[in-house]
Amino acid sequence: MKLTILTTVLALASGAVLADPVEIETARGPASVEQSPQKVAVYDIAALDTLLALGVTPAGVPEKVYLPRLAEPVAKAAKVGTLFEPDLEALSALNPDLTIVGGRSAPQFDAVSQVGPAIDMTISPNVVGDLRARLAAYGSLFNKQDAADDLTATLDDEIAAVRAEAQGRGTALIVLTNGPKISAYGRGSRFGWLHSALGIPEAYPNLAPETHGDAISFEFIAEVNPDWLFVIDRGAAIGAGGASARETLDNPLVAGTKAAQNGHIVYLDAGSVYVAGGGYTALMTTLEQMRAALVG
């Protein structure tokens, strides 16, 4: 008993208050993590996006966060490497209470775990379901359950609104351009939630749920002839050069589709879909853009 009291007194005197662990869901299953970590390093843009929406500002972030709206809130955070290559020396110097990886940085989970506690919050193709789960987890972890519940309610309302607008509006094809190359994505893919969560039928239901999509041609788009074409410009998302999505799709075969003829080619905010996909504000941005297009 005396030892316990002495330990507590010393901890309080040094300013270190031991937090109770909380069990949260992660991409690798349930994990027990100390609640309310004060110093957090984040190597996933979707996680960063959701944490900022909850009012949690990380102490360490990648050198490049890609989306301009994310850069200012973390301008003073320590730079701890990139999404693909963490700087373990910088991370160790930061000495975070918790490190979050996900998606592109998930393969570095074991490496960053050598520095301290880490969790993998990768977003799977079940993007909306995973976002709800991440909001609940972060709400518990950072003692922000009420804020997480409010964001979840707003998300659900927006999804319902977009689903309502999408009813009876025809089929869609989701394409990603990478300079002159074009890939298509269907249900079960990283962008397939646009079909499954929003109730928008696929113009071509036999696409494979591959990470990099199915390579397609202009002839394929013309043959499928979708009512809507939802476009993601990878080059714009990562700041690469080369032909833009608009330039790539400026083609007579695409121009002859129902989507083009009716003004239904929608160029989605590429950073929100491709880089921060599954982040709260990113997903809300996409939903708002989808609803505006469907209403218009």
Side-chain angles (χ1 to χ4, degrees):
M1 177 65 73
K2 289 182 179 179
L3 180 60
T4 301
I5 294 173
L6 178 59
T7 302
T8 302
V9 170
L10 290 173
L12 291 173
S14 66
V17 179
L18 301 179
D20 292 330
V22 59
E23 187 170 283
I24 62 171
E25 285 297 326
T26 76
R28 299 179 182 231
S32 182
V33 185
E34 285 194 2
Q35 193 174 39
S36 301
Q38 297 301 301
K39 196 185 297 183
V40 180
V42 179
Y43 286 97
D44 178 59
I45 305 303
L48 173 61
D49 189 43
T50 301
L51 289 174
L52 289 174
L54 281 168
V56 177
T57 302
V61 296
E63 295 165 7
K64 188 174 182 180
V65 297
Y66 296 93
L67 278 68
R69 65 175 173 78
L70 298 180
E72 184 176 353
V74 296
K76 296 181 180 180
K79 303 305 182 286
V80 289
T82 71
L83 293 179
F84 301 96
E85 294 186 16
D87 183 337
L88 297 182
E89 288 187 7
L91 185 64
S92 181
L94 178 64
N95 191 26
D97 301 311
L98 179 68
T99 298
I100 300 174
V101 299
R104 297 165 178 85
S105 63
Q108 301 299 327
F109 177 82
D110 290 339
V112 301
S113 294
Q114 296 174 18
V115 177
I119 54 175
D120 180 353
M121 300 303 263
T122 295
I123 300 293
S124 77
N126 180 21
V127 173
V128 175
D130 277 3
L131 174 54
R132 291 192 183 103
R134 300 296 175 262
L135 283 168
Y138 294 140
S140 296
L141 180 59
F142 294 97
N143 198 24
K144 288 182 174 289
Q145 291 94 335
D146 289 345
D149 289 345
D150 288 344
L151 292 180
T152 301
T154 301
L155 170 68
D156 290 344
D157 287 346
E158 188 65 22
I159 289 174
V162 177
R163 285 185 67 93
E165 294 294 344
Q167 294 302 306
R169 300 301 304 278
T171 64
L173 183 68
I174 305 166
V175 300
L176 177 141
T177 66
N178 186 13
K181 300 177 182 178
I182 316 171
S183 301
Y185 293 78
R187 286 178 181 268
S189 73
R190 62 196 299 188
F191 310 127
W193 69 272
L194 294 169
H195 291 300
S196 57
L198 304 181
I200 302 174
E202 295 174 276
Y204 185 81
N206 297 317
L207 293 169
E210 301 293 338
T211 300
H212 300 292
D214 282 340
I216 61 170
S217 63
F218 298 125
E219 287 80 7
F220 176 86
I221 296 175
E223 182 178 346
V224 171
N225 196 19
D227 295 294
W228 294 85
L229 197 60
F230 297 125
V231 183
I232 303 154
D233 187 335
R234 180 182 182 275
I238 64 173
S244 69
R246 292 180 185 274
E247 292 169 329
T248 297
L249 296 178
D250 184 10
N251 178 281
L253 290 169
V254 176
T257 62
K258 289 182 288 185
Q261 293 291 311
N262 293 314
H264 290 169
I265 298 181
V266 182
Y267 293 88
L268 298 171
D269 183 81
S272 294
V273 182
Y274 184 78
V275 179
Y280 179 79
T281 303
L283 195 65
M284 289 296 293
T285 297
T286 303
L287 288 171
E288 290 162 6
Q289 190 175 2
M290 293 281 292
R291 181 149 65 109
L294 290 165
V295 170

